[in-house]
């Protein structure tokens, strides 16, 4: 399996308008922690970014096709998001209010105070704009994943395409969770998903069930 992580630091420096812009840059920043900090990363909503990823996948496909080892490549996993797991970078800072994300939303997003409401269940009427914003971000992330795997199927044919897709409505607020599992699973280009076992110590450490559950 070839794993591709599309953080593209050089491309981000050259295309700052296509990177994530964090709505609340004062809270939770911690160097080296993609969960809490504000790393410079491409916005999932950026169409030039998706085009750059497809170009990279095309070049990799040409290399695989030309190499004597090419037939040994059976799976390609496309990664984005915190620690490759496709949930949004810097969740504590309420991403993503980049030009690409806001333009694709078509209007200004709800303010940070509204997005940070401590509510697991949102009211269909009272929270309509927040629901629309959360769903928009989730769709852009899912659409980027589907675009990446579609590029794999197009340019590296005959291989399985998938992603590391952890945290399905788990311990994070909506901007950090992957709530569109059905959309991703229904995509013809997605052949497999990797996902973590729970990260609690009882299953991660010696004698726990982590390793036995990783394979299934």
């Amino acid at each position: 399996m070839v794993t591709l992580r599309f953080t593209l630091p050089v491309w981000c420096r050259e295309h700052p308008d296509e990177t994530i812009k964090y709505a609340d840059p004062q809270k939770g920043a911690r160097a080296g922690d993609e969960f809490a900090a504000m790393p410079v990363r491409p916005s999932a909503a950026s169409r030039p970014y998706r085009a750059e990823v497809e170009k990279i996948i095309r070049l990799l496909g040409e290399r695989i096709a030309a190499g004597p080892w090419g037939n040994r490549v059976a799976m390609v996993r496309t990664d984005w998001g915190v620690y490759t797991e496709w949930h949004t970078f810097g969740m504590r800072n309420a991403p993503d209010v980049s030009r690409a994300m806001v333009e694709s939303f078509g209007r200004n997003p709800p303010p940070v105070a509204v997005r940070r409401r401590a509510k697991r269940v949102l009211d269909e009427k009272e929270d309509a704009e927040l629901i629309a914003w959360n769903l928009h971000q989730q769709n852009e992330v899912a659409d980027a994943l589907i675009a990446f795997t579609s590029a794999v199927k197009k340019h590296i044919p005959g291989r399985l395409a998938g992603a590391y897709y952890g945290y399905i409505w788990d311990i994070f607020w909506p901007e950090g969770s992957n709530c569109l599992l059905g959309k991703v699973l229904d995509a013809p280009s997605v052949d497999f998903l990797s996902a973590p076992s729970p990260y609690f110590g009882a299953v991660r450490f010696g004698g726990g069930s982590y390793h036995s559950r990783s394979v299934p």
Side-chain angles (χ1 to χ4, degrees):
M1 180 175 72
V2 175
T3 298
L4 306 172
R5 191 177 194 203
F6 295 110
T7 50
L8 308 189
V10 174
W11 188 89
C12 286
R13 288 196 297 270
E14 295 172 349
H15 301 82
D17 290 342
E18 305 300 330
T19 62
I20 292 172
K21 296 295 182 288
Y22 299 95
D24 188 12
Q26 303 304 315
K27 296 180 180 180
R30 191 167 59 205
D33 186 344
E34 290 190 335
F35 172 74
M38 296 169 290
V40 177
R41 297 290 186 263
S43 171
S46 168
R47 273 41 179 185
Y49 168 57
R50 295 185 193 180
E52 181 70 9
V53 167
E54 179 167 2
K55 184 183 79 172
I56 293 169
I57 292 172
R58 175 179 58 79
L59 293 172
L60 175 63
E62 293 173 359
R63 182 70 179 269
I64 288 174
W69 46 269
N71 287 337
R72 297 173 64 183
V73 177
M75 310 166 73
V76 178
R77 195 179 78 182
T78 59
D79 292 339
W80 180 91
V82 176
Y83 306 127
T84 77
E85 297 169 20
W86 280 96
H87 57 111
T88 57
F89 292 101
M91 290 175 290
R92 297 192 188 281
N93 303 94
D96 165 15
V97 291
S98 64
R99 178 201 57 76
M101 187 66 74
V102 173
E103 283 187 359
S104 61
F105 188 50
R107 55 194 185 277
N108 289 327
V112 172
V114 172
R115 299 203 300 277
R116 283 278 174 82
R117 278 192 196 134
K119 295 167 65 176
R120 276 293 190 185
V121 180
L122 300 178
D123 182 85
E124 186 175 347
K125 293 182 179 179
E126 178 187 357
D127 302 304
E129 190 67 5
L130 178 57
I131 292 171
W133 170 252
N134 287 339
L135 187 60
H136 173 71
Q137 281 210 121
Q138 292 155 10
N139 269 297
E140 288 288 6
V141 172
D143 288 346
L145 188 160
I146 292 167
F148 293 2
T149 53
S150 296
V152 170
K153 303 300 279 187
K154 176 181 178 181
H155 298 293
I156 316 177
R159 277 70 170 188
L160 300 177
Y164 194 111
Y165 203 66
Y167 303 107
I168 310 302
W169 192 256
D170 188 10
I171 57 175
F172 308 121
W173 42 87
E175 289 185 326
S177 301
N178 296 325
C179 303
L180 297 179
L181 180 62
K183 179 174 183 175
V184 171
L185 288 174
D186 285 343
S189 61
V190 177
D191 298 311
F192 71 92
L193 296 176
S194 307
S197 302
Y199 284 152
F200 305 114
V203 299
R204 292 179 66 191
F205 301 146
S209 62
Y210 184 91
H211 292 290
S212 63
R213 295 196 298 167
S214 294
V215 174

